[in-house]
Amino acid sequence: MLWIKAFHIVFIASWFAGLFYLPRIFVNLAQETDTVATTRLLLMARKLFRFTTMLAVPAVLLGLWLWLGYGFKGGWMHAKLALVLLVIGYHHACGSLLKKFENGANKRSHVWFRYFNEVPVLLLTAIVILVVVKPF
């Protein structure tokens, strides 16, 4: 189980790296007026979203494996799983926002995306605290 836990942590860290950077690309897309730069940023965002999705799948599957191995004990685990669902929802929201940029339908400002970019930091912080401290 320690190997599963180690790979789970690696995939989680990699997944979050993508979730930290993708909205940063959105900030730049929301500010950009040059079509060449916009095309390049969209390509970067598409590739990063695809790669991040490929990292999320084993992260979630390995987490399920750990859950089956260790069980579903403690209120902290319920809270952690609720936050994981929010992370998955955030990932999905990034995909939706990317489609809006691709279709030229983005209505949000770069300032909004700067705040949006902070959400995964807060989620990861809360999840790590729950897993390490197990406050309840």
Side-chain angles (χ1 to χ4, degrees):
M1 283 306 253
L2 291 177
W3 282 99
I4 303 305
K5 190 183 291 187
F7 282 111
H8 177 62
I9 292 168
V10 167
F11 280 105
I12 289 293
S14 302
W15 179 22
F16 269 91
L19 291 179
F20 293 155
Y21 191 61
L22 186 59
R24 192 66 211 148
I25 296 174
F26 294 162
V27 169
N28 294 323
L29 278 167
Q31 290 179 303
E32 194 55 65
T33 56
D34 179 51
T35 54
V36 174
T38 298
T39 302
R40 183 174 296 132
L41 287 168
L42 281 172
L43 177 65
M44 289 171 57
R46 245 183 261 113
K47 287 182 176 185
L48 181 59
F49 182 73
R50 193 176 310 123
F51 186 64
T52 302
T53 301
M54 290 187 319
L55 294 167
V57 171
V60 171
L61 292 176
L62 290 167
L64 288 171
W65 192 346
L66 288 168
W67 173 55
L68 292 172
Y70 287 116
F72 193 81
K73 301 174 203 155
W76 69 271
M77 179 60 88
H78 292 83
K80 178 208 173 201
L81 291 177
L83 292 174
V84 169
L85 288 175
L86 289 176
V87 172
I88 293 169
Y90 183 87
H91 184 103
H92 178 73
C94 285
S96 297
L97 291 166
L98 177 57
K99 285 180 185 171
K100 287 182 181 179
F101 275 114
E102 290 174 331
N103 296 328
N106 175 53
K107 303 279 189 235
R108 303 195 187 273
S109 71
H110 67 93
V111 175
W112 186 88
F113 284 106
R114 289 177 196 276
Y115 286 109
F116 182 75
N117 190 39
E118 300 306 320
V119 172
V121 175
L122 299 173
L123 290 170
L124 181 61
T125 302
I127 289 169
V128 168
I129 289 169
L130 286 169
V131 170
V132 173
V133 178
K134 294 179 180 60
F136 45 90

